Amino acid sequence: MPKVVIVYLSTSGNTKAMADAIAEGVRSRNVEALAVNFHEADIEDLRSADAIAIGSSTFYYKMLPPMEKFIENLAREDVKEKIGAAFGSYGWSGEAPVMIAEKMREIGMKVIDPVLRIQYTPTDKDLEECKRLGKDIAIRLKAK
Ligand SMILES: Cc1cc2nc3c(=O)[nH]c(=O)nc-3n(C[C@H](O)[C@H](O)[C@H](O)COP(=O)(O)O)c2cc1C
């Protein structure tokens, strides 16, 4: 069964809430999903994943350095041809998800457009959008 791994960096839980809702959306299409904090992400899970979604909130107009490092490490793996998605909560400028999508493309992933950005704490409507993204990822995997 295809597997989607959703990795996030979230300082106060906003991006985590998005990640959990994306996972719920994936599972609603009967595809296995795992949402995990970036420093608990298991490289084996990422290697075996068919799709990887990466989320980070924006700090000082970019993603936080540990997430940048995480993506650099991911680039050493064979992630080419995997489906990618980028998301994150933000306050006023929201660069991080855009930068994540750029980096994912640089390492050869097929990134879903557009990135998903939610301002501050996701509302119920925002969480529905996150679930929608999860469903889209699952549908693309099945079409592969
Ligand atoms: C010190 C600090 C710097 C921030 N810098 C930015 C920024 O440059 N651009 C932006 O859009 N949001 C910025 N934010 C807002 C966060 O991205 C926002 O609070 C987000 O919801 C946090 O999500 P998280 O709980 O997933 O980390 C900043 C927040 C803090 C506390």
Side-chain angles (χ1 to χ4, degrees):
M1 188 154 60
K3 199 171 72 174
V4 182
V5 178
I6 302 145
V7 185
Y8 60 84
L9 182 159
S10 182
T11 61
S12 65
N14 294 337
T15 304
K16 179 189 188 300
M18 292 180 71
D20 290 338
I22 294 167
E24 210 181 311
V26 173
R27 290 183 198 119
S28 76
R29 286 286 180 272
N30 298 316
V31 173
E32 196 188 330
L34 173 74
V36 63
N37 196 309
F38 78 101
H39 55 70
E40 288 164 358
D42 182 341
I43 196 68
E44 284 306 326
D45 285 335
L46 291 163
R47 277 185 193 136
S48 65
D50 298 302
I52 301 173
I54 301 181
S56 172
S57 42
T58 299
F59 282 86
Y60 304 109
Y61 307 102
K62 53 185 194 161
M63 68 181 115
L64 286 171
M67 183 49 104
E68 238 174 303
K69 186 99 193 124
F70 174 83
I71 301 174
E72 276 163 26
N73 289 340
L74 190 63
R76 291 196 204 111
E77 304 297 325
D78 185 19
V79 289
K80 276 199 179 76
E81 304 306 314
K82 287 190 200 290
I83 291 169
F87 64 96
S89 171
Y90 71 104
W92 51 91
S93 58
E95 288 86 350
V98 177
M99 293 167 86
I100 290 170
E102 266 170 27
K103 283 195 177 283
M104 287 175 123
R105 284 205 177 86
E106 274 170 29
I107 61 177
M109 296 179 71
K110 295 179 182 155
V111 184
I112 295 175
D113 252 341
V115 300
L116 180 57
R117 297 188 293 186
I118 300 295
Q119 208 168 11
Y120 294 115
T121 305
T123 61
D124 286 348
K125 189 168 164 278
D126 294 332
L127 292 173
E128 284 305 315
E129 250 192 273
C130 297
K131 284 183 205 164
R132 178 77 251 164
L133 174 60
K135 286 177 190 170
D136 282 351
I137 296 170
I139 289 165
R140 274 175 202 239
L141 278 185
K142 287 184 172 175
K144 254 178 117 177

